Amino acid sequence: MQTAIPDQRKVARPRADALRNRERIVTAAREMFVEHGPDVPLDDVARRAGVGNATVYRNFPDRDALVREVVCSVMDRTARAAELALAETGDAFEALERFVHASADERISALCPMVSSTFDQFHPDLEAARERVERLVAEVMDRAKAAGQLRGDVGVSDLMIAAAQLSRPPAGTGCLSADRFVHRHLQLFLDGLRAPARTALPGTQVTMEDLRRPCDQ
């Protein structure tokens, strides 16, 4: 007598419409966080996404979960921009330039303030996305350095800090009205990164670990 073998249960995959709703929520949240900050009512996010409030909470049980998903989504898109830069076989510095401008278009600088003291900065998803971006940006920069086009005394943190600061609207200006200046100022900064360097940079390179260290240490 043969022993009945239980059927293996298939892992349920999210339905296509459920995935689309989740993507619409993340896109709407990203737009509204950039425009109004992370405290925008989730009801407004649902309205812009064209879904019901219950759909938002079914996908994201609290605000931190949604904020984390938005930040990870932007980091993933930034990583893909770095991968495209690495895939280019032409001028290494031009590839670096295109990556920086593409990163600015993701408005990652506007999302940085959302990583506050109440936010789980060490969530595995966030750490994985961050490490991927840092690794890929380092590869883009190393290639430009190896080609003798990028000055050797700048690191990943130098590039990311400057790009974030330059793409963030100045105090007292409209968030969206300042967009037309972003790429102009970024290009001025990028021109200063070209080798050979005209001057020596003061101080030492700031590491990504330095940036994560609390201010009182």
Side-chain angles (χ1 to χ4, degrees):
M1 183 175 180
Q2 290 184 335
T3 303
I5 300 175
D7 292 334
Q8 291 185 343
R9 306 182 81 178
K10 294 183 179 179
V11 177
R13 293 184 178 180
R15 295 181 311 177
D17 58 340
L19 289 174
R20 283 195 295 270
N21 283 341
R22 185 178 179 89
E23 291 173 359
R24 288 164 65 181
I25 293 167
V26 173
T27 299
R30 173 178 173 271
E31 293 172 354
M32 299 199 76
F33 289 162
V34 167
E35 295 170 15
H36 306 292
D39 295 327
V40 63
L42 296 189
D43 289 354
D44 291 352
V45 173
R47 198 157 26 247
R48 177 170 293 196
V51 301
N53 296 357
T55 302
V56 173
Y57 287 105
R58 187 162 55 247
N59 282 275
F60 305 101
D62 53 39
R63 182 180 298 274
D64 274 2
L66 179 56
V67 170
R68 182 171 58 251
E69 183 70 15
V70 169
V71 173
C72 286
S73 173
V74 170
M75 285 189 175
D76 286 343
R77 290 160 64 97
T78 302
R80 284 196 292 272
E83 288 174 337
L84 287 174
L86 288 170
E88 296 181 14
T89 57
D91 186 280
F93 196 89
E94 289 181 4
L96 173 64
E97 289 178 319
R98 280 190 284 273
F99 161 71
V100 172
H101 286 291
S103 297
D105 286 337
E106 291 300 331
R107 303 302 299 272
I108 196 168
S109 62
L111 299 176
C112 288
M114 298 193 317
V115 186
S116 63
S117 58
T118 60
F119 189 83
D120 182 6
Q121 301 182 41
F122 303 104
H123 188 280
D125 291 347
L126 189 61
E127 286 199 314
R130 181 192 297 131
E131 289 171 2
R132 181 183 175 214
V133 168
E134 292 172 10
R135 174 178 55 80
L136 289 168
V137 174
E139 289 184 34
V140 174
M141 295 180 70
D142 287 345
R143 193 172 67 163
K145 288 180 181 179
Q149 297 173 303
L150 175 65
R151 55 189 297 165
D153 56 352
V154 294
V156 173
S157 57
D158 294 315
L159 180 72
M160 300 304 285
I161 291 173
Q165 290 177 337
L166 290 172
S167 58
R168 185 176 301 167
T173 63
C175 180
L176 300 180
S177 65
D179 278 358
R180 59 195 178 103
F181 302 115
V182 168
H183 293 289
R184 176 183 177 88
H185 296 158
L186 280 175
Q187 193 58 50
L188 285 170
F189 162 69
L190 286 165
D191 285 347
L193 294 183
R194 284 189 177 274
R198 292 180 178 271
T199 58
L201 292 176
T204 57
Q205 290 186 28
V206 178
T207 67
M208 300 305 291
E209 288 71 23
D210 290 334
L211 296 180
R212 300 190 192 101
R213 190 173 297 126
C215 295
D216 56 356
Q217 290 186 8

